[in-house]
Amino acid sequence: EGKYKKFILSYGGSMGAEHVNDAVFELMRDYVKDRPYILHVHATGSLEYEAAKAKFKEFGLEKYPNLKLLEYIYDMPVQMAAADVIICRAGAMTVSELSMMGKCAVMIPSPNVVENHQYINAKVLADSDAAVLIEEKELIGNKLADEISALLEDDSRREKMSKNIRQFSIPDANKRIYFEISKMVARYRAKNK
């Protein structure tokens, strides 16, 4: 949409994430709503949608045309491509998509995953200035709003992060997977002749 100069996309994964939703609503209330040139689309995930919708209203956010609340994003590649900044979890697929597209991201890793792998993913990126890492327990005060406003106001930093995260992409992942599966099948066949 032509009237928007910046676009924030946020989501907490398909199942949703209450802490992420709360932090995003605070960001919308304290920063984005007063900046009509910023479009902010947030997907809550199916589990959280009804509760989030009620909270969105409670925060008085439904009357702002630049704030959009969705249960799920069905055209994620299009939305990601258009976004200036993405707020998201740090699962392997998300990291893969962000790095392939070279997107500037603020990652809030889920603390409820095996061996804290989302934190590890986000930390590797943050250490390479390829993403911003905020742990859920750090989502207090205006932490998210401060990070987002700093990124939106600094085009060169976003470009640098975009360039840095691209270094983590594996463009031929499909070929590598096919090659490994082919080797496994060949070994299996040789063994079971």
Side-chain angles (χ1 to χ4, degrees):
E1 292 174 67
K3 62 184 172 179
Y4 299 116
K5 293 183 175 65
K6 297 282 192 246
F7 174 28
I8 302 168
L9 175 65
S10 54
Y11 51 94
S14 56
M15 293 301 174
E18 191 181 354
H19 292 301
V20 172
N21 291 339
D22 290 350
V24 163
F25 293 161
E26 286 168 15
L27 167 68
M28 287 176 158
R29 180 192 66 202
D30 301 340
Y31 179 75
V32 185
K33 79 170 169 46
D34 300 321
R35 291 166 176 80
Y37 59 88
I38 300 174
L39 172 64
H40 187 162
V41 173
H42 179 63
T44 63
S46 50
L47 285 180
E48 294 288 331
Y49 186 60
E50 290 308 319
K53 217 163 58 169
K55 205 170 274 189
F56 190 74
K57 276 201 167 110
E58 195 184 300
F59 272 62
L61 301 172
E62 78 284 355
K63 61 181 176 277
Y64 296 92
N66 63 322
L67 305 177
K68 304 212 181 310
L69 185 70
L70 305 173
E71 179 177 355
Y72 190 79
I73 295 170
Y74 292 95
D75 58 345
M76 186 61 90
V78 174
Q79 298 291 332
M80 278 181 111
D84 292 289
V85 177
I86 297 174
I87 302 164
C88 56
R89 292 302 203 183
M93 287 308 295
T94 299
V95 170
S96 174
E97 289 165 350
L98 293 170
S99 62
M100 285 296 292
M101 294 177 111
K103 298 315 289 189
C104 174
V106 172
M107 297 187 154
I108 306 164
S110 172
N112 313 313
V113 294
V114 179
E115 294 174 354
N116 213 11
H117 72 265
Q118 287 203 10
Y119 172 80
I120 295 162
N121 292 348
K123 180 91 171 88
V124 168
L125 295 174
D127 288 348
S128 301
D129 196 24
V132 172
L133 162 62
I134 303 177
E135 289 188 75
E136 263 194 18
K137 62 186 179 202
E138 298 172 334
L139 285 174
I140 39 181
N142 285 334
K143 174 92 172 150
L144 187 59
D146 291 346
E147 289 290 353
I148 294 298
S149 63
L151 284 170
L152 286 180
E153 288 160 24
D154 190 344
D155 294 348
S156 65
R157 183 168 174 225
R158 284 199 322 278
E159 281 166 29
K160 187 176 172 219
M161 285 173 67
S162 170
K163 200 176 115 204
N164 291 345
I165 200 169
R166 279 184 199 276
Q167 311 294 314
F168 290 88
S169 71
I170 304 170
D172 66 339
N174 57 342
K175 288 181 185 143
R176 291 186 194 193
I177 292 167
Y178 175 78
F179 180 68
E180 290 302 321
I181 291 170
S182 298
K183 283 197 318 196
M184 286 167 59
V185 168
R187 279 198 304 268
Y188 176 80
R189 285 187 176 147
K191 204 171 95 180
N192 294 295
K193 270 189 173 170

